[in-house]
Amino acid sequence: MIWIQREIRLPARTRGFHLVTREVLDALPDLEQVAVGMLHLLIRHTSASLALNENASPEVRRDFETWFDRAVPDGAPYWTHTLEGDDDMPAHVKAALLGPSLTLPISRGRLALGTWQGIYLCEHRDDGGPRSMIATGWGERSA
Amino acid sequence: MIWIQREIRLPARTRGFHLVTREVLDALPDLEQVAVGMLHLLIRHTSASLALNENASPEVRRDFETWFDRAVPDGAPYWTHTLEGDDDMPAHVKAALLGPSLTLPISRGRLALGTWQGIYLCEHRDDGGPRSMIATGWGERSA
Amino acid sequence: MIWIQREIRLPARTRGFHLVTREVLDALPDLEQVAVGMLHLLIRHTSASLALNENASPEVRRDFETWFDRAVPDGAPYWTHTLEGDDDMPAHVKAALLGPSLTLPISRGRLALGTWQGIYLCEHRDDGGPRSMIATGWGERSA
């Protein structure tokens, strides 16, 4: 068995959906030593989230933002937790809908994703600042 | 390697979002023996769910309930599965949106969560009764 | 430790929510050798998803489709990514809401699910074609 566990610091990003696959993999060069195993990513915040979706078109990521902003509106009259800003409570709900983590299979040293699947950092706040992620990998070491 | 697997019984709760981090951890004292590893929680029901979100303000949890009740309304005219009550089909949809499980990293005997992250039991039925969870932990044993 | 990793090919299905528990388990006979462990399933697409929900009533699965089609409508005026068809961008959003993977506990050679929990393949496209899933199992081998 091999275990890898590391914090990955993501710089501040604008509100929206951002492709971070390359950035995450670059921080985890020792995944190459895993013949068969799993990678788990947890974002350690409650107003940002992780998703796995289309890795090619920026339009897709923009449409994600449009849909989520309509479905969970800033400043809606029914929010009672408003002290931290109009975008705070919607950010919590969006984060719960998308989820804080991804669990992904590793095969022969690489993530076994589909051709079009990429890792999204979903930033739900206007000014969320840098984000911290814990990456944990485990599996059988390559011969 | 260490493996831990145990059922955790959660007492009946009112419909809404409930913080259960303490209750879950108290049921798993042997997590302290895990140097690096993972904890997985599965709720074994289709009308309740698990989430990881803000662990401080009761307002946040109340606003979660408000949003989900508006987004997936009880008694909407388009539901056809109505035999088990007005709150049954919405509970299934809410449970699928939030998901039945959490997968969380363990580092030096503790969950490696963010400061504000807590485990929610999301009870989507008016009278859901007690809930059963399977907790599974695995990792490298501390020296 | 035992590791199992295998691709499961799912034949084309109509748009909607489909119960595939039996099909998935039949493809994984060696799970019986796992005394305690986990099974992870990843669908390698961005317009279909996996969920765990009610395994008995076809009405429940039809109502899932109704709710998701209303919440994330085909052909809404705010979509900008429309080149691949009216059902493409909604499929991406639905897939992200439900998620691409399931992580499930194994106990004495069987999935430790609740009585009413079954695995759904959620097909969000009108003509999604066959779908590919990577199944990864790991755990302690039975004595």
Side-chain angles (χ1 to χ4, degrees):
Chain A
M1 280 287 289
I2 178 171
W3 280 92
I4 296 155
Q5 194 170 63
R6 188 169 307 144
E7 184 183 8
I8 301 176
R9 305 280 297 173
L10 301 167
R13 280 182 165 86
T14 55
R15 175 167 164 166
F17 291 72
H18 303 276
L19 200 56
V20 296
T21 317
R22 194 67 265 151
E23 194 171 338
V24 168
L25 290 179
D26 284 350
L28 298 166
D30 28 15
L31 287 193
E32 287 180 24
Q33 301 170 39
V34 180
V36 54
M38 300 299 302
L39 174 65
H40 179 268
L41 302 170
L42 174 76
I43 193 158
R44 298 170 85 193
H45 304 272
T46 60
S47 56
S49 59
L50 299 178
L52 194 72
N53 214 275
E54 214 259 7
N55 60 13
S57 163
E59 285 172 358
V60 170
R61 300 195 293 279
R62 189 175 56 205
D63 284 356
F64 262 99
E65 177 67 8
T66 301
W67 187 86
F68 275 89
D69 285 349
R70 294 175 61 100
V72 194
D74 284 15
Y78 48 78
W79 302 127
T80 65
H81 179 73
T82 54
L83 255 173
E84 296 174 49
D86 267 5
D87 63 330
D88 180 63
M89 194 57 225
H92 291 309
V93 172
K94 292 168 183 172
L97 287 169
L98 289 161
S101 72
L102 290 174
T103 311
L104 306 169
I106 304 171
S107 181
R108 278 172 264 165
R110 304 182 61 160
L111 291 183
L113 304 182
T115 310
W116 302 104
Q117 288 180 313
I119 300 170
Y120 285 13
L121 167 70
C122 317
E123 175 56 72
H124 303 305
R125 298 225 53 182
D126 289 329
D127 193 16
R131 299 298 195 173
S132 160
M133 196 188 270
I134 297 281
T136 310
W138 64 98
E140 265 183 15
R141 196 182 287 270
S142 305
Chain B
M1 279 287 289
I2 179 172
W3 281 91
I4 297 155
Q5 193 169 64
R6 188 168 308 145
E7 184 183 8
I8 301 176
R9 304 280 297 174
L10 300 166
R13 281 182 165 87
T14 55
R15 176 168 165 166
F17 291 72
H18 303 275
L19 200 55
V20 295
T21 316
R22 193 68 266 152
E23 194 170 338
V24 168
L25 290 179
D26 284 351
L28 298 166
D30 28 16
L31 286 192
E32 287 179 24
Q33 302 170 39
V34 180
V36 53
M38 300 299 303
L39 174 65
H40 179 268
L41 302 170
L42 175 75
I43 193 159
R44 297 170 87 193
H45 304 272
T46 61
S47 57
S49 59
L50 298 178
L52 193 72
N53 214 276
E54 214 259 5
N55 61 13
S57 162
E59 286 171 357
V60 170
R61 299 196 293 280
R62 188 174 57 204
D63 284 356
F64 262 99
E65 178 66 10
T66 301
W67 187 85
F68 276 89
D69 284 350
R70 294 174 61 100
V72 195
D74 284 13
Y78 48 79
W79 302 127
T80 66
H81 179 74
T82 53
L83 255 172
E84 296 172 51
D86 268 5
D87 63 330
D88 180 63
M89 193 57 226
H92 291 309
V93 172
K94 292 168 183 172
L97 288 169
L98 289 162
S101 72
L102 290 175
T103 311
L104 305 170
I106 304 171
S107 182
R108 278 170 263 165
R110 306 183 60 160
L111 291 183
L113 304 182
T115 311
W116 302 103
Q117 289 181 312
I119 300 170
Y120 286 13
L121 168 70
C122 317
E123 175 56 73
H124 303 305
R125 298 226 54 183
D126 289 329
D127 193 14
R131 299 297 196 173
S132 160
M133 198 188 268
I134 298 280
T136 310
W138 65 96
E140 264 183 16
R141 196 182 287 270
S142 304
Chain C
M1 279 286 289
I2 179 172
W3 281 91
I4 296 155
Q5 194 169 64
R6 188 168 308 144
E7 183 182 9
I8 301 175
R9 304 281 297 174
L10 301 166
R13 281 182 165 87
T14 55
R15 175 167 165 167
F17 291 71
H18 303 276
L19 200 56
V20 296
T21 316
R22 194 67 265 151
E23 195 170 336
V24 168
L25 290 179
D26 284 350
L28 298 166
D30 27 16
L31 287 193
E32 287 178 25
Q33 302 169 38
V34 180
V36 53
M38 301 298 302
L39 174 65
H40 178 268
L41 302 170
L42 175 75
I43 192 158
R44 297 170 86 194
H45 304 272
T46 61
S47 56
S49 59
L50 299 178
L52 194 72
N53 214 275
E54 214 259 6
N55 61 12
S57 161
E59 286 171 357
V60 170
R61 299 196 292 281
R62 190 175 56 206
D63 284 356
F64 263 98
E65 178 65 11
T66 301
W67 187 86
F68 276 90
D69 285 350
R70 294 175 60 101
V72 194
D74 284 13
Y78 48 79
W79 302 126
T80 66
H81 180 73
T82 54
L83 255 172
E84 295 174 49
D86 268 6
D87 63 329
D88 180 64
M89 193 57 225
H92 291 310
V93 172
K94 292 168 183 171
L97 288 169
L98 289 161
S101 72
L102 290 175
T103 310
L104 305 170
I106 305 171
S107 182
R108 279 171 263 165
R110 304 182 63 161
L111 291 183
L113 304 182
T115 311
W116 303 103
Q117 289 181 313
I119 299 170
Y120 285 13
L121 168 69
C122 317
E123 176 55 73
H124 303 304
R125 298 225 54 183
D126 289 329
D127 192 15
R131 299 298 196 172
S132 161
M133 198 188 267
I134 297 281
T136 310
W138 64 97
E140 265 183 17
R141 197 183 286 270
S142 305

